[in-house]
Amino acid sequence: MNFSHLKPYQKRCFVTDSADLTDKDIVVGFYRTLEERPVNSAKALEQWLLDRSELDAAVSQAGSILYIRMTCHTDDKAIAGAYTKFIQTVSPAVKPVHDRLNRKYLELCAKFPLDAKRYEVHDRAIKTDVELFVAKNVPLQTEVDLLSQEYQTLCGAMTVQFSAKGGSASGGEEKEYTLPEMGKYLLEPDRILRERAWRAAAERRSKDQDKFEDIFDRLFQKRVAMAYHAGFKDFTAYQFKNYHRFDYTPADCKRYHETIERCVVPLNEEIFKNRRKEMKLKTLRPWDTAADPLGRSPLKPFEGPKQLVDGIKKIFKRVDPQLGDQFNRMDKEGLLDLDSRKGKAPGGYQNTLSEARQSFIFMNAVGVDDDVRTLLHEGGHALHALACAKDPLVDYRHGPMEFCEVASMAMELLGGRYMEEFYNDADTKRSNREHWEGIIHILAWAANIDAFQHWIYEHPDHTPAERRQAWIGFYEQFGGKFIDWTDLTEVKAYGWHRQLHIFEMPFYYIEYGIAQLGALQVWMNARRDPKKALADYRKGLALGGSRPLPELYKAAGIRFDFSESIIKPLADAVYQEWQKLL
Ligand SMILES: [Zn+2]
């Protein structure tokens, strides 16, 4: 992956062009210059902010490129080493100087007040960061970042020897598969093949289960210590502030869990019951939840990443010609890495290259329906970043996560109206039906993951056995009880190991629930008036992070709300769409 062709969005004014921003002394040198610069007017203060923003963006992009390369080649020592070096040297070195600059900014603001509305969100974030900063936490954060990398490497290295030949009969020539590739077999109509594939992947994961436990325990201890150092009695309160969650509380999240249990889990049960009936099974086993319930072969939307990209280009164009052009450009500039290969980290993500103000998309596509939805999703994130790329402040060129996921999930729904670019009529219906099921599922899964994390950090003295018990409890509460895990209790108890967020971004998951509700509102608006819905959606995206969360939602024509009055009607509407496709 080479990014040397990417030019800065605008010419640098402060940072020298040839500066190596992976070198900590050089980076810190630039920050020092800002720290020492005298500022004597509001105008000079704004210029100071812009120069800082230019530097922040350039350093962030240098780190992003190393991260992208590492996730594309977790098995390449030199590439992994370059990323490790960055997070061990540059990241910790800039944190104290960031803090000093933040303090300097707050002092200067008091002397030379800036436009209060323009800087409202920016200043609130700076004040919070100053409040949370403790020098003692800098080395701990580095250790956390390294452990996260260890988690990625462990996941990326897992492969199984498997033979799909002969269907249900094992034997035949074995091949090495990544675990994302193995997921493909769960879509096969042959139940015994599915079971073999599921068990092979589960066995491979269980080989490393102690390593996952150990990584998590170490992450957990460091996080609790960081909260403590910052003067918080628990990690939950610390992390809510750290994520700048100004508009909702842990109590609101718990209300979300309760509402989901009452209004969404019963719909989930109906969906599972229907599946069991269609599959003519007594119980649904873990390998029965993804295959087509009527025994048809898996949907094959495309072969190879090129076909995937071409189809998505057409969809974006139909949603909005300008969005289509933007996606085209990403492809031309080599900003898509989509196929699953050994050594690639799991999952998919979009990453913003802050200085070029461009987006990169990473995926593990294997040719299934989900890949199309994932690329629409990550494409939504990419278009969001491009929509707000004009803002001179780097902090305003990305929204809060609770809104970023509206951008991406709404794109799954807006783009999902044109799935015929990949399918005939019958397959379009199948794909959409799966998507509606997936939405009910994600609303419940977000509650499951979030409730589990609240429990973890509310019980800092828990044992690994208690944690397994707690996981099983939440898993069953939010829909897992409809699956038959006979003889697989241990695999079930470690099910959370697969959820990367729990390791790398604690408490980052409720966002998917909140944002799904936002995306569904965009979709409801589009049913009434597609043009206006799209225009509003783009208005919200263009604001980036420059306004508080409720205002971003309002600009997009939707409400920031995850109480029952929003959840119930939306979940019921999704359920009705699903029923229409039975
Ligand atoms: Zn996303």
Side-chain angles (χ1 to χ4, degrees):
M1 205 43 63
N2 186 359
F3 295 102
S4 56
H5 61 294
L6 287 185
K7 297 269 167 294
Y9 180 85
Q10 58 187 38
K11 236 185 110 33
R12 290 179 180 175
C13 310
F14 169 60
V15 182
T16 37
D17 284 331
S18 57
D20 175 6
L21 299 176
T22 63
D23 182 310
K24 112 179 158 43
D25 295 326
I26 291 173
V27 171
V28 170
F30 282 115
Y31 280 113
R32 282 260 162 78
T33 309
L34 283 176
E35 197 183 351
E36 285 152 15
R37 183 195 292 176
V39 174
N40 295 312
S41 67
K43 201 170 162 238
L45 178 56
E46 284 206 287
Q47 188 55 49
W48 184 87
L49 268 183
L50 290 179
D51 289 346
R52 178 176 178 185
S53 180
E54 179 186 299
L55 176 58
D56 283 346
V59 175
S60 151
Q61 176 162 316
S64 288
I65 289 174
L66 296 175
Y67 177 80
I68 290 168
R69 288 209 184 111
M70 182 275 285
T71 54
C72 291
H73 309 277
T74 57
D75 52 354
D76 182 315
K77 283 221 169 76
I79 288 176
Y83 175 69
T84 311
K85 188 179 159 217
F86 186 86
I87 57 178
Q88 277 176 322
T89 59
V90 179
S91 305
V94 299
K95 275 175 194 136
V97 67
H98 272 174
D99 179 60
R100 295 199 299 275
L101 289 176
N102 285 347
R103 286 169 203 271
K104 174 168 172 150
Y105 170 72
L106 293 178
E107 278 165 27
L108 288 169
C109 261
K111 263 201 253 171
F112 310 112
L114 301 179
D115 180 339
K117 191 170 177 205
R118 164 74 181 152
Y119 291 102
E120 175 190 353
V121 175
H122 174 262
D123 293 0
R124 179 174 77 168
I126 297 274
K127 277 180 199 146
T128 307
D129 291 346
V130 164
E131 191 189 327
L132 291 189
F133 181 81
V134 191
K136 252 205 307 203
N137 279 344
V138 174
L140 281 175
Q141 185 59 49
T142 306
E143 288 170 41
V144 162
D145 293 343
L146 290 173
L147 281 167
S148 297
Q149 188 188 2
E150 218 178 289
Y151 173 80
Q152 300 247 11
T153 310
L154 200 56
C155 292
M158 285 194 289
T159 60
V160 294
Q161 295 292 331
F162 188 73
S163 163
K165 289 227 179 82
S168 41
S170 57
E173 206 184 316
E174 290 192 336
K175 253 181 69 186
E176 186 178 25
Y177 292 92
T178 64
L179 295 194
E181 282 170 337
M182 288 301 285
K184 212 172 150 175
Y185 291 112
L186 299 180
L187 304 173
E188 289 295 328
D190 179 344
R191 194 176 190 216
I192 298 175
L193 172 63
R194 287 203 306 268
E195 178 173 351
R196 280 206 300 117
W198 188 91
R199 285 186 187 273
E203 241 165 62
R204 178 61 193 86
R205 273 196 198 90
S206 70
K207 266 195 199 145
D208 281 339
Q209 77 194 16
D210 294 342
K211 287 187 196 155
F212 282 118
E213 287 286 280
D214 177 57
I215 290 178
F216 185 79
D217 283 334
R218 286 190 284 156
L219 281 166
F220 175 80
Q221 282 156 9
K222 291 181 204 313
R223 286 180 173 137
V224 171
M226 284 168 77
Y228 216 70
H229 294 161
F232 287 78
K233 64 177 186 350
D234 60 67
F235 179 72
T236 312
Y238 170 81
Q239 191 68 339
F240 267 62
K241 277 220 152 168
N242 192 23
Y243 280 163
H244 297 167
R245 289 180 175 177
F246 298 113
D247 301 291
Y248 60 100
T249 64
D252 293 324
C253 296
K254 293 198 171 164
R255 257 192 302 281
Y256 172 84
H257 310 157
E258 287 158 20
T259 312
I260 291 294
E261 194 180 1
R262 212 170 38 246
C263 305
V264 175
V265 173
L267 304 181
N268 216 4
E269 181 174 12
E270 289 308 314
I271 290 171
F272 278 123
K273 262 195 202 154
N274 180 73
R275 166 174 282 274
R276 199 190 57 206
K277 240 196 301 177
E278 285 182 331
M279 292 177 95
K280 302 191 174 66
L281 295 173
K282 268 208 201 80
T283 62
L284 288 175
R285 302 284 282 162
W287 45 87
D288 294 326
T289 58
D292 181 67
L294 298 176
R296 292 165 291 191
S297 315
L299 289 167
K300 284 213 166 63
F302 60 90
E303 261 173 76
K306 187 181 175 310
Q307 263 188 28
L308 170 62
V309 170
D310 287 346
I312 294 289
K313 275 183 194 166
K314 287 184 194 146
I315 291 184
F316 277 139
K317 213 175 211 156
R318 287 176 73 178
V319 174
D320 183 294
Q322 204 194 341
L323 299 183
D325 290 345
Q326 288 175 329
F327 187 75
N328 249 330
R329 190 168 153 216
M330 286 180 68
D331 183 29
K332 271 206 198 112
E333 303 251 11
L335 295 170
L336 307 171
D337 186 326
L338 306 180
D339 54 328
S340 180
R341 298 183 304 269
K342 188 186 172 194
K344 252 176 108 164
Y349 66 79
Q350 172 272 343
N351 198 317
T352 302
L353 299 155
S354 304
E355 188 178 34
R357 305 193 194 176
Q358 298 226 41
S359 273
F360 172 82
I361 295 178
F362 172 97
M363 262 180 73
N364 277 284
V366 290
V368 298
D369 183 62
D370 232 17
D371 295 334
V372 176
R373 305 282 177 180
T374 303
L375 189 50
L376 284 174
H377 179 103
E378 303 306 339
H381 283 310
L383 299 172
H384 190 188
L386 297 174
C388 55
K390 275 201 195 93
D391 201 299
L393 275 189
V394 65
D395 289 350
Y396 283 178
R397 293 204 292 271
H398 55 87
M401 286 308 169
E402 297 83 352
F403 189 68
C404 288
E405 297 299 341
V406 173
S408 55
M409 289 171 148
M411 188 50 82
E412 288 181 60
L413 289 157
L414 296 173
R417 295 165 63 195
Y418 307 112
M419 290 301 270
E420 68 262 23
E421 294 294 349
F422 287 95
Y423 297 124
N424 62 26
D425 266 7
D427 286 351
T428 299
K429 272 188 191 149
R430 251 180 88 182
S431 167
N432 284 333
R433 177 181 152 176
E434 282 175 23
H435 189 220
W436 296 123
E437 289 181 9
I439 287 177
I440 294 289
H441 179 74
I442 191 73
L443 288 171
W445 186 247
N448 182 352
I449 296 293
D450 194 57
F452 177 57
Q453 298 200 79
H454 278 275
W455 181 90
I456 287 182
Y457 293 101
E458 272 166 21
H459 298 83
D461 300 321
H462 71 260
T463 64
E466 286 165 344
R467 189 162 66 211
R468 287 195 288 277
Q469 230 20 68
W471 167 256
I472 289 180
F474 291 118
Y475 176 70
E476 302 212 320
Q477 185 182 348
F478 293 106
K481 61 175 176 261
F482 310 129
I483 311 289
D484 174 3
W485 285 82
T486 306
D487 300 331
L488 294 166
T489 315
E490 192 171 285
V491 183
K492 177 161 103 172
Y494 288 115
W496 60 276
H497 284 177
R498 298 175 61 182
Q499 193 66 59
L500 160 149
H501 302 69
I502 299 174
F503 289 78
E504 294 193 17
M505 291 158 278
F507 282 110
Y508 179 21
Y509 215 82
I510 186 86
E511 284 85 345
Y512 293 108
I514 297 172
Q516 183 68 73
L517 298 166
L520 287 170
Q521 293 179 68
V522 172
W523 162 71
M524 291 285 245
N525 291 345
R527 290 212 297 198
R528 280 190 294 271
D529 184 347
K531 264 206 178 129
K532 183 173 186 310
L534 185 73
D536 286 347
Y537 166 78
R538 295 192 62 178
K539 238 185 264 162
L541 263 51
L543 287 175
S546 65
R547 300 303 307 147
L549 202 42
E551 282 184 45
L552 299 178
Y553 271 66
K554 201 169 161 214
I558 57 181
R559 269 167 58 201
F560 176 73
D561 184 350
F562 49 102
S563 65
E564 183 166 344
S565 66
I566 283 273
I567 293 178
K568 181 140 178 47
L570 288 174
D572 288 346
V574 170
Y575 187 71
Q576 280 161 19
E577 287 300 314
W578 173 76
Q579 274 185 319
K580 278 189 219 161
L581 296 173
L582 284 187

